[in-house]
C-alpha cells in the first residue's frame, strides 16, 4: 500500500532560527530571494524526515508558500513529489508542471476574472491604509500561472504584528466577508473562499 504524507512545511519540518533553542545544531533549509539563509532544520526534524523517506512515504507539501518560494528549500526530500502551493490555490506536479486539470476546475467553477478585479481593488486600499498609517508593512497579490491567488500583507520583523494587522484592516474598512483571513507570524493572507489555508 502506498503511503502519502500531506504536510505543511514551515514550523513543521523547517523554521526560522528564532524558533529553535540556542543550543540546537541547525542546517540551512531554505534561502530568501537573495540567497541568504532564511529557514533551518534541526537534527530531530532531519531524523523524522529521514524516517518517512526510508519508510517509502511520499511527501506532498501543502503550504502557503508560492511555488517559487517553496523551490528555495534546500531539503530535496521535501520537493520530490506533487506540491500544493499558495494556500491551496495551485497544484504542481512532481516534474514542476502545473496541474492542468486543477486549472480547468478553477476556471470552470470560480469567477477568476472577477476575483482578480476584487484582489486588485482591495490591494490598492490596503496599500493606501499602510501609507496613511505609516506602518512598516506591505501588501501585494500572490499569483501563480497567471491566476491571482490571494493578498499577502507582510510586516517587517520585530514589531507588534497583531496590532499592525488590526490597524491596517480596521483603517481599510473593507468588507472581508468573501475572504478567509489566515494569520501566521508576520504575514496575513486574505484568501478567497475557494481556498483552504494550509
Amino acid at each position: 500500500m502506498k503511503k502519502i504524507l500531506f504536510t505543511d512545511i514551515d514550523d513543521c519540518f523547517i523554521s526560522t532560527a528564532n524558533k529553535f533553542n540556542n543550543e540546537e545544531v541547525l542546517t540551512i533549509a531554505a534561502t530568501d530571494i537573495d540567497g541568504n539563509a532564511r529557514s533551518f532544520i534541526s537534527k530531530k526534524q532531519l531524523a523524522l524526515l529521514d524516517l518517512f523517506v526510508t519508510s517509502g512515504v511520499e511527501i506532498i507539501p501543502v503550504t502557503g508558500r508560492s511555488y517559487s518560494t517553496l523551490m528555495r528549500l534546500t531539503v530535496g526530500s521535501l520537493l520530490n513529489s506533487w506540491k500544493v502551493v499558495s494556500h491551496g490555490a495551485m497544484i504542481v506536479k512532481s516534474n514542476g508542471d502545473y496541474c492542468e486539470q486543477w486549472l480547468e476546475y478553477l476556471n470552470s467553477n470560480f469567477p477568476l476574472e472577477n476575483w482578480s478585479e476584487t484582489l486588485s481593488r482591495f490591494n490598492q486600499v490596503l496599500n493606501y491604509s499602510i501609507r496613511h498609517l505609516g506602518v512598516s508593512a506591505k501588501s501585494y497579490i500572490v499569483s501563480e500561472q497567471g491566476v491571482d491567488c490571494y493578498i499577502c500583507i507582510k510586516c517587517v520583523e520585530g514589531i507588534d504584528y497583531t496590532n499592525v494587522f488590526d490597524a491596517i484592516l480596521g483603517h481599510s474598512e473593507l468588507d472581508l466577508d468573501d475572504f478567509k483571513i489566515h494569520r501566521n507570524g508576520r504575514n496575513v493572507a486574505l484568501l478567497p473562499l475557494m481556498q483552504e489555508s494550509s
Side-chain angles (χ1 to χ4, degrees):
M1 181 174 67
K2 189 171 187 177
K3 294 171 282 188
I4 300 174
L5 172 66
F6 293 89
T7 181
D8 196 358
I9 299 299
D10 293 278
D11 296 329
C12 288
F13 281 109
I14 69 173
S15 297
T16 52
N18 63 324
K19 304 277 181 75
F20 293 99
N21 186 306
N22 288 337
E23 286 79 40
E24 287 190 86
V25 177
L26 303 177
T27 302
I28 296 172
T31 60
D32 64 18
I33 197 166
D34 298 316
N36 302 311
R38 177 69 192 158
S39 297
F40 300 86
I41 187 167
S42 69
K43 284 186 175 181
K44 287 181 181 178
Q45 289 168 316
L46 276 170
L48 178 62
L49 184 58
D50 186 58
L51 177 66
F52 285 125
V53 171
T54 57
S55 300
V57 175
E58 183 176 353
I59 300 171
I60 298 180
V62 181
T63 178
R65 288 175 176 250
S66 66
Y67 177 61
S68 61
T69 305
L70 180 65
M71 295 310 291
R72 292 203 298 264
L73 266 66
T74 59
V75 184
S77 53
L78 291 172
L79 302 173
N80 292 330
S81 185
W82 290 58
K83 301 148 190 78
V84 181
V85 297
S86 289
H87 291 288
M90 283 294 141
I91 300 173
V92 183
K93 299 178 183 178
S94 55
N95 66 1
D97 292 340
Y98 286 85
C99 179
E100 290 298 325
Q101 293 93 335
W102 180 248
L103 287 168
E104 289 170 9
Y105 172 78
L106 289 178
N107 282 308
S108 61
N109 288 279
F110 299 99
L112 295 182
E113 186 174 319
N114 293 345
W115 176 245
S116 290
E117 291 171 3
T118 300
L119 282 181
S120 178
R121 188 174 69 253
F122 276 41
N123 192 51
Q124 288 177 2
V125 172
L126 289 166
N127 275 303
Y128 170 79
S129 292
I130 289 168
R131 288 191 304 271
H132 179 81
L133 294 168
V135 293
S136 298
K138 60 182 177 179
S139 175
Y140 55 93
I141 298 171
V142 176
S143 301
E144 298 267 5
Q145 198 66 8
V147 174
D148 292 330
C149 300
Y150 66 95
I151 293 175
C152 178
I153 307 171
K154 186 181 289 280
C155 288
V156 299
E157 294 187 58
I159 63 174
D160 186 339
Y161 310 133
T162 301
N163 283 342
V164 170
F165 292 138
D166 288 345
I168 293 169
L169 295 175
H171 182 271
S172 71
E173 296 183 347
L174 291 169
D175 180 0
L176 298 175
D177 287 346
D178 291 333
F179 288 83
K180 294 177 183 177
I181 301 174
H182 175 69
R183 295 184 184 225
N184 184 14
R186 65 188 189 111
N187 300 297
V188 162
L190 302 182
L191 308 171
L193 295 181
M194 66 188 179
Q195 289 169 227
E196 288 291 343
S197 168
S198 61

